[in-house]
Amino acid sequence: MNINYNEETKIFQINTQNTTYMMGILAGKHLLHLYYGKKIDYMEDMDCRYLFRKDESPKSLHSLKRAAVTFFNTYPFEYPAHGTGDCRHNCLRVRSEGGHRVCELHYDSHRIYKGKPSLKGMPATFEGATEEQAAETLEITMKDAVLGLKILLRYSVFEDSDAMIRSVVAVNEGEGKLYLEKILSAGLDMDNMEYELTTLHGVETRERRMVTRKVTEGSHRVASLYGETSHKQHPFMMLTGKGTTQKHGDAYGMHFVYSGNFAAETELNHQDSIRMTMGINPDGFEWVLAPGEEFETPEAVLVYSSEGIGKMTRCYHDLYRNHLIRSKYLHKKRPILINNWEGTYFNFDDDKLVAIAKEAKKVGIEMLVMDDGWFGKRDNDESGLGDWVVNKKKLKNGIEGLAERVNAEGMKFGIWFEPEMISPDSDLFRAHPDWAIQVPGREITMQRHQYVLDMTRQDVRDYIYESMAKILRSANIEYVKWDMNRPLADIGSFCLDSEHMGEFYHRYVLGVYELQERLVQEFPDLLLENCSGGGGRFDPGMLYYSPQIWTSDNMDPIERLAIQEGTALIYPLSTMGAHICVCPNHTTGRSTPLETRAHVAMTGTFGYELDITKLTEEEKAQAAAFNEEYHKYNEIYREGDYYRIASYRENNIYDCWQVVTKDKAECLVTYVQVRYISRTKSVRLLLEGLEPKAKYRLEGTEEIYSGELLMNAGYLQDMIFGEYGSRLLHFVRV
Ligand code: GLA
């Protein structure tokens, strides 16, 4: 049993393999957070009530009454609510019909059960098929009798993971309406231990770069109001103890399984304690709960590691691979694809694409993906979105004809859609101007010449679904890239009344989830890749529908180092869309060796984004060799354990990461050297995760090293003369 409740002490204990989480009920009603950290296994007759920092003697309870506001404002509440004196940032704010915003949650009951609930219409982690992947859940019922509000706090853990999944349900059991102004998925109060906070930041073409700073007094908040997770900030926070490294020390991660507006906040308060919270961004949010109705929050994933950041990372990777991604492609080698976007942009036709497919096939590429521009009137980004009918000027025999020709070359075929968008210059907009998100009387704010469709509407969703499905049913299309190229603005729907307009953002996300769910249900064999102007909607929510997401439009391998490092901090490598780009790179103008571009892309899903007919014979021969390497190594990248060995971000010279098979029989080490440092002969790469007493041979050489040698003395990598060189080292146990 991983979850226990001690009747006498009124303390809950949730255990995973290596962690313990404790909370307890004080004075029969207040649910306080007591501990989260390294596993406390021996509990037999331990009385942990001292952790309350308050006892239940009459004197103590009297002082609680005498200074209740102070009590609310200083104690570590498990799910703090606004209104009775806790003036730190909180998890819940509810308005009553009377306009009051006071809520006091009292413990009511709890239940512990095998398994784990799914969420209605939203992504959720799930139990695996085996016993080791089984889950157990604690559901604590809290109530505010005055409001008639019931709050369920849910905590689930899996046998095979150190992660803890949290979500919250609000139920209106009263007579009047309740207005949820803020309902977060998780809060965590801890004593300050001089922590540092790491979050992920960026912009289009520079997504998810790690930023670390000391936690100081006040609040640090990362959030999105873009209607999607966004390129700019990511729904992830990590607290690390003083001196924590990849291998040592405390790391607490909190990640959000959601694809819309979020808010993640870390506050160091007057008590010198830290409160971390994660949930739907309360800005621009309000949900009306009529009597009898309920609201479910998305899931937050908490991970604690006492053995450094690397272990936290691997816990997220395994959790998402074993308990979140559903696609049948999860454990499969994805076809090596060639996408025509940077190769042709809008300037292509069927003959051009077939020529690319023919040439690609020769070097071992397996799938052609036709990107933006195949539909409606779409010769640039100024028109056509929403008109999902084939452009016969470009594809003379339609999608079906093209798919047949591409298949005849021995290649699979995939296409691009941007389902959530509508161009003002489109037949769809001319027929349904009210389908665009807008506020009556205001000009719609334009971005990339496009508006956003009102995905809260069933009629809009049905239309979009049917237009996409019609195309997918008409031809042998084995892959779809689902793009989303602008943020939401001008929030307004003709189908929501003023009372419910605050529900728009969340309903939009639910609409996207519904569409993607329909797609994967009707086309279970489809390989779906999500995308948003690069990596603007790279989040765990999307992984529930697609096993891979386009990481960034920036494919410059040097720029990709920080992007992929930040992404791989929490996401399995198998989810990172990565391609070999054109040279010089279209985003940065930088020229890099084809080999370096390949080594960086091979870590992810692997493919090409260039016009292969323009490569030299020598480059094509190189590409053929990389494709063979991909087949040989992909399983290691896809299924293995990831270790961050060195970071260019920190050392300003080189980047290095390692992936080890679960049985420790093989590992791959990727070394990318950005700068050559004269007079330094070699760098020492301290590998990890190997069997200490086993011997490993470096492929292509007679060099033999013990695991211990590689992990303690390290592998000495010679400096590569010149710029942007790379090496891919493969060690095999002998
Ligand atoms: C976005 C995507 C690109 C490409 C273009 C097409 O920017 O990230 O990969 O598909 O749209 O317009």
Side-chain angles (χ1 to χ4, degrees):
M1 278 238 297
N2 293 319
I3 304 178
N4 294 300
Y5 176 65
N6 185 321
E7 278 292 347
E8 198 192 330
T9 62
K10 309 237 178 312
I11 290 179
F12 295 97
Q13 186 180 9
I14 304 174
N15 287 335
T16 66
Q17 280 168 8
N18 303 290
T19 75
T20 290
Y21 189 98
M22 283 199 271
M23 52 201 152
I25 307 159
L26 179 72
K29 51 188 182 183
H30 304 292
L31 185 65
L32 300 186
H33 179 76
L34 302 181
Y35 174 78
Y36 186 30
K38 203 168 176 172
K39 190 164 190 173
I40 301 173
D41 229 349
Y42 180 69
M43 271 292 186
E44 288 300 283
D45 47 4
M46 295 296 116
D47 186 344
C48 297
R49 277 178 287 196
Y50 72 97
L51 292 173
F52 281 118
R53 288 184 165 136
K54 197 162 200 73
D55 57 43
E56 302 206 34
S57 62
K59 194 170 158 237
S60 175
L61 291 180
H62 178 74
S63 82
L64 191 157
K65 276 194 181 152
R66 202 172 52 85
V69 170
T70 308
F71 168 69
F72 283 120
N73 203 24
T74 48
Y75 275 71
F77 285 89
E78 185 57 26
Y79 194 69
H82 173 92
T84 49
D86 190 343
C87 293
R88 297 163 290 183
H89 78 286
N90 49 51
C91 287
L92 181 70
R93 193 172 64 237
V94 186
R95 194 175 76 243
S96 64
E97 275 184 348
H100 304 111
R101 292 183 174 84
V102 180
C103 177
E104 188 180 331
L105 295 175
H106 288 173
Y107 168 83
D108 176 80
S109 57
H110 73 269
R111 78 193 174 101
I112 297 169
Y113 55 90
K114 296 261 169 245
K116 154 163 204 317
S118 56
L119 303 184
K120 248 175 271 136
M122 271 191 291
T125 50
F126 48 79
E127 281 197 306
T130 62
E131 233 169 71
E132 301 87 70
Q133 295 180 330
E136 196 174 350
T137 298
L138 163 65
E139 195 174 277
I140 302 178
T141 300
M142 309 286 292
K143 285 193 174 174
D144 181 310
V146 178
L147 289 173
L149 174 68
K150 179 165 92 176
I151 292 283
L152 304 180
L153 304 177
R154 299 194 294 212
Y155 305 78
S156 299
V157 287
F158 303 98
E159 289 293 334
D160 63 349
S161 174
D162 275 329
M164 185 171 69
I165 315 295
R166 291 180 57 178
S167 68
V168 174
V169 186
V171 186
N172 184 350
E173 296 186 325
E175 318 255 283
K177 282 184 189 165
L178 294 175
Y179 301 87
L180 301 174
E181 294 183 339
K182 180 180 191 182
I183 176 158
L184 304 186
S185 298
L188 179 62
D189 279 17
M190 297 194 293
D191 290 355
N192 182 26
M193 304 281 211
E194 291 188 61
Y195 288 114
E196 292 197 323
L197 170 69
T198 298
T199 45
L200 302 172
H201 298 262
V203 73
E204 292 85 342
T205 71
R206 283 189 289 124
E207 294 88 339
R208 285 175 298 286
R209 285 163 309 125
M210 291 165 65
V211 179
T212 301
R213 82 293 274 161
K214 198 171 169 340
V215 178
T216 51
E217 279 78 2
S219 204
H220 192 91
R221 184 174 188 263
V222 289
S224 165
L225 260 181
Y226 299 91
E228 59 172 348
T229 31
S230 92
H231 306 80
K232 281 85 178 176
Q233 318 220 31
H234 198 74
F236 173 74
M237 296 178 282
M238 174 176 73
L239 279 192
T240 45
K242 212 174 179 186
T244 291
T245 63
Q246 283 290 326
K247 296 189 218 177
H248 305 286
D250 290 332
Y252 291 88
M254 214 190 244
H255 202 192
F256 198 31
V257 187
Y258 190 58
S259 311
N261 291 348
F262 71 86
E265 197 163 346
T266 304
E267 181 186 10
L268 174 57
N269 55 49
H270 55 280
Q271 281 298 105
D272 201 31
S273 75
I274 288 183
R275 174 170 287 173
M276 287 168 95
T277 60
M278 177 71 80
I280 293 179
N281 193 339
D283 288 351
F285 170 87
E286 178 166 287
W287 199 273
V288 189
L289 274 191
E293 285 182 350
E294 64 175 58
F295 180 86
E296 234 174 358
T297 73
E299 293 184 340
V301 182
L302 277 65
V303 173
Y304 165 73
S305 155
S306 62
E307 293 168 49
I309 297 167
K311 191 160 181 207
M312 177 209 74
T313 291
R314 289 183 290 281
C315 178
Y316 276 110
H317 287 196
D318 286 338
L319 180 84
Y320 293 155
R321 284 185 293 203
N322 297 329
H323 297 283
L324 180 67
I325 303 172
R326 299 176 295 171
S327 168
K328 62 180 253 191
Y329 292 96
L330 170 64
H331 295 299
K332 286 196 179 137
K333 233 184 322 156
R334 323 284 155 79
I336 303 174
L337 67 81
I338 183 157
N339 175 304
N340 72 308
W341 179 240
E342 291 204 351
T344 67
Y345 292 107
F346 294 102
N347 186 18
F348 64 86
D349 64 8
D350 41 10
D351 293 336
K352 173 78 204 170
L353 293 178
V354 172
I356 291 177
K358 201 186 202 88
E359 213 50 45
K361 171 72 187 169
K362 287 187 199 154
V363 300
I365 295 172
E366 299 161 303
M367 178 161 74
L368 174 87
V369 174
M370 174 173 64
D371 211 277
D372 193 355
W374 57 266
F375 50 91
K377 188 181 97 187
R378 185 86 171 156
D379 293 323
N380 51 44
D381 60 13
E382 292 176 18
S383 58
L385 291 170
D387 297 341
W388 301 110
V389 281
V390 69
N391 179 327
K392 288 264 177 126
K393 266 195 261 155
K394 290 186 184 175
L395 311 182
K396 294 175 278 298
N397 297 310
I399 299 261
E400 200 185 346
L402 176 61
E404 275 169 16
R405 285 178 70 190
V406 172
N407 288 165
E409 296 296 340
M411 298 271 285
K412 294 175 189 293
F413 178 64
I415 61 173
W416 178 98
F417 282 101
E418 196 178 353
E420 298 152 68
M421 297 294 149
I422 180 165
S423 304
D425 183 3
S426 67
D427 292 340
L428 188 66
F429 188 72
R430 282 181 281 276
H432 299 284
D434 58 318
W435 283 14
I437 299 177
Q438 62 194 280
V439 175
R442 287 186 177 277
E443 194 180 322
I444 309 180
T445 315
M446 184 92 87
Q447 176 75 21
R448 210 193 185 208
H449 308 282
Q450 64 199 58
Y451 301 154
V452 187
L453 279 169
D454 182 354
M455 299 294 283
T456 71
R457 290 173 64 149
Q458 190 68 52
D459 54 353
V460 172
R461 295 200 298 273
D462 288 346
Y463 175 85
I464 291 300
Y465 184 74
E466 272 316 310
S467 356
M468 288 178 79
K470 200 167 152 198
I471 302 268
L472 296 177
R473 289 177 202 128
S474 75
N476 187 21
I477 298 167
E478 300 184 62
Y479 162 104
V480 161
K481 177 175 169 187
W482 177 307
D483 209 340
M484 198 274 195
N485 279 325
R486 63 154 287 177
L488 276 53
D490 313 301
I491 298 312
S493 166
F494 288 103
C495 289
L496 291 174
D497 60 26
S498 62
E499 199 181 40
H500 292 85
M501 203 61 85
E503 300 176 359
F504 184 93
Y505 278 118
H506 183 53
R507 286 188 183 276
Y508 181 96
V509 178
L510 295 178
V512 173
Y513 288 153
E514 186 211 277
L515 266 194
Q516 297 214 352
E517 185 65 30
R518 281 164 84 174
L519 201 66
V520 299
Q521 291 304 332
E522 182 177 344
F523 304 98
D525 294 335
L526 189 70
L527 172 56
L528 184 62
E529 174 156 357
N530 267 290
C531 171
S532 174
R537 202 160 56 186
F538 202 121
D539 60 60
M542 286 285 117
L543 286 182
Y544 190 64
Y545 306 94
S546 67
Q548 61 198 58
I549 305 175
W550 186 227
T551 312
S552 173
D553 275 351
N554 193 341
M555 287 168 273
D556 175 330
I558 305 307
E559 289 291 299
R560 273 276 177 143
L561 296 176
I563 297 171
Q564 294 189 179
E565 180 189 12
T567 306
L569 177 69
I570 24 188
Y571 295 98
L573 305 181
S574 64
T575 65
M576 290 196 308
H579 298 163
I580 295 178
C581 63
V582 189
C583 187
N585 177 272
H586 286 189
T587 311
T588 61
R590 185 175 1 222
S591 294
T592 46
L594 187 55
E595 186 176 52
T596 303
R597 283 178 272 153
H599 286 159
V600 173
M602 219 177 275
T603 301
T605 57
F606 197 55
Y608 294 76
E609 194 146 331
L610 40 76
D611 182 350
I612 198 159
T613 62
K614 292 185 180 151
L615 293 191
T616 63
E617 287 311 312
E618 194 194 336
E619 286 171 327
K620 284 186 212 162
Q622 270 184 292
F626 298 140
N627 293 340
E628 273 175 33
E629 278 189 359
Y630 164 81
H631 288 296
K632 190 164 152 201
Y633 297 140
N634 179 257
E635 188 173 338
I636 304 179
Y637 286 124
R638 206 180 59 233
E639 313 283 347
D641 286 334
Y642 165 86
Y643 295 86
R644 171 53 56 172
I645 304 300
S647 169
Y648 168 59
R649 204 173 38 85
E650 288 169 355
N651 63 34
N652 211 20
I653 304 171
Y654 67 97
D655 222 50
C656 182
W657 59 93
Q658 177 197 6
V659 185
V660 186
T661 55
K662 292 274 177 196
D663 64 1
K664 299 181 187 294
E666 284 177 79
C667 81
L668 289 168
V669 179
T670 312
Y671 172 81
V672 180
Q673 190 184 294
V674 182
R675 291 169 59 222
Y676 176 78
I677 303 299
S678 57
R679 298 186 191 276
T680 299
K681 209 179 159 330
S682 56
V683 297
R684 191 184 297 271
L685 306 177
L686 297 176
L687 303 192
E688 290 189 55
L690 301 172
E691 214 177 288
K693 304 290 180 218
K695 286 181 183 158
Y696 294 86
R697 190 170 57 77
L698 174 61
E699 195 191 14
T701 72
E702 293 307 315
E703 294 169 26
I704 303 274
Y705 304 85
S706 69
E708 252 171 356
L709 259 182
L710 289 172
M711 293 193 289
N712 300 330
Y715 174 77
L716 296 182
Q717 169 62 52
D718 284 344
M719 276 259 143
I720 307 169
F721 188 62
E723 281 183 322
Y724 315 135
S726 69
R727 293 286 181 272
L728 180 57
L729 310 168
H730 181 205
F731 292 91
V732 184
R733 195 169 55 196
V734 290

